Amino acid sequence: MPLTHFLGLIFLVMLAAGATVALAVWAGVPLVALGFAALAGSLIVTWYQVGR
């Protein structure tokens, strides 16, 4: 993967993460709930991959 594509991918991931946090704060979602949802999603994906 060329460096420009890699850096662009990192930029888009950071942009999406920032937009997610900004929308959650705007909607009044507590950051603890957002963190718990991220942790739960990470565990679900990990368990799914380990079970394969």
Side-chain angles (χ1 to χ4, degrees):
M1 176 185 306
L3 180 61
T4 53
H5 289 111
F6 178 70
L7 293 176
L9 182 63
I10 290 176
F11 173 75
L12 289 175
V13 168
M14 290 175 60
L15 184 68
T20 300
V21 171
L23 286 174
V25 168
W26 178 74
V29 176
L31 290 180
V32 173
L34 192 62
F36 181 73
L39 178 63
S42 173
L43 289 174
I44 290 169
V45 168
T46 300
W47 286 335
Y48 176 75
Q49 290 180 349
V50 169
R52 290 176 106 191

